[in-house]
Amino acid sequence: MRVALWLAAEVGEGGRFVKQQLREAMPGVEQIDRRMRDLRPAGWAIMTYRDRAGLAPGELLLEKIGLPVWEKEHRSAGLRVITASTRRKVFERDGNRCIRCGILAGEIYPDETEVSARLTVGHVEAHKYGAPSGEENLVTECSRCNETAKHLAAPRFDERQVWDEITELPRKDKQAVLAWMAAGKREPSRVERVMSHVWQLPGVQREEIFRKLGRSLS
Ligand SMILES: [Zn+2]
């Protein structure tokens, strides 16, 4: 947990740093990225320029210092690692979309001009430390929804604004919003389900379907 100690001592909450500084501070420590990621379940928040405007590419922001994982009683929090294969399975199960807002990996947020979504794995049980990290307790969330759930990001809209937007929707869309909220997650539409199957076909077969469909509609 030397990475955590270094961050707390040398960078401090709200401080900026670059990976190279970390590498130089602890020569021989491998997989610096992974070590930083492993601090997340213990409540640490390290942001990149993709998460925060104003950061240069390569620059990192220690937004929040989480549990002191170097202390014996908190050591397990930082060790609760989600393996790459679990992460992959959870993403696949959820269709590579944030289950809260529905955005796909790499897609630009509809309400922002150039921020693209990065998927992360969140906990169903609202980020209770020590909660089981099996697949059944994990969900795909984009980093934005994940931070909102953890109260790391300030709310960007107030209730009235959002309510006004909802009231302007046609009835059918209002029902969709209600259903989405009730489910607590996004159910892919029939079109999306079909398309995800289309994309799993080899290219030649996909082209054949494209031609057939075009003909049937002309
Ligand atoms: Zn989201």
Side-chain angles (χ1 to χ4, degrees):
M1 290 291 116
R2 282 165 63 204
V3 168
L5 268 173
W6 183 86
L7 288 172
E10 302 295 324
V11 180
E13 207 163 73
R16 297 174 181 204
F17 64 103
V18 293
K19 237 178 275 170
Q20 193 53 32
Q21 286 173 277
L22 246 176
R23 285 209 189 93
E24 279 162 16
M26 43 204 79
V29 174
E30 309 260 307
Q31 294 186 294
I32 294 276
D33 283 300
R34 185 153 164 214
R35 273 155 213 282
M36 287 196 285
R37 222 170 31 233
D38 291 350
L39 290 169
R40 263 192 233 153
W44 291 63
I46 298 164
M47 300 299 160
T48 72
Y49 74 103
R50 282 175 295 196
D51 310 300
R52 292 285 173 270
L55 288 177
E59 202 177 21
L60 298 164
L61 167 70
L62 178 57
E63 193 166 80
K64 188 172 184 301
I65 292 180
L67 294 173
V69 288
W70 50 84
E71 285 173 10
K72 208 172 160 206
E73 65 263 41
H74 295 303
R75 208 163 289 162
S76 60
L79 291 176
R80 202 191 52 186
V81 174
I82 299 162
T83 64
S85 94
T86 303
R87 190 180 298 272
R88 231 183 355 258
K89 274 186 226 156
V90 172
F91 286 172
E92 226 162 80
R93 183 200 63 204
D94 295 337
N96 289 298
R97 280 178 186 277
C98 169
I99 66 144
R100 314 286 177 205
C101 72
I103 201 155
L104 276 168
E107 224 175 14
I108 307 280
Y109 285 103
D111 55 354
E112 302 206 49
T113 44
E114 47 193 29
V115 185
S116 60
R118 211 153 40 85
L119 295 185
T120 97
V121 170
H123 293 87
V124 181
E125 283 271 319
H127 309 281
K128 270 189 203 144
Y129 306 125
S133 57
E135 278 160 59
E136 59 295 339
N137 191 40
L138 297 171
V139 289
T140 305
E141 285 176 340
C142 70
S143 51
R144 201 168 89 173
C145 291
N146 185 266
E147 280 164 33
T148 309
K150 285 193 205 157
H151 307 290
L152 291 175
R156 301 161 66 233
F157 308 99
D158 64 29
E159 189 191 328
R160 259 218 24 222
Q161 267 176 295
V162 176
W163 178 245
D164 286 347
E165 280 178 339
I166 291 175
T167 53
E168 284 165 18
L169 292 173
R171 186 176 168 81
K172 197 173 118 260
D173 291 350
K174 279 184 192 145
Q175 281 165 336
V177 171
L178 185 66
W180 190 328
M181 287 183 74
K185 61 176 196 155
R186 176 182 181 284
E187 299 293 350
S189 70
R190 276 176 83 181
V191 171
E192 282 160 355
R193 239 186 280 263
V194 169
M195 274 314 292
S196 92
H197 296 163
V198 167
W199 281 111
Q200 288 173 51
L201 291 174
V204 194
Q205 295 177 16
R206 211 159 56 218
E207 277 165 35
E208 181 53 31
I209 287 196
F210 180 75
R211 270 194 300 273
K212 268 204 303 210
L213 183 62
R215 272 200 304 273
S216 80
L217 287 171
S218 61

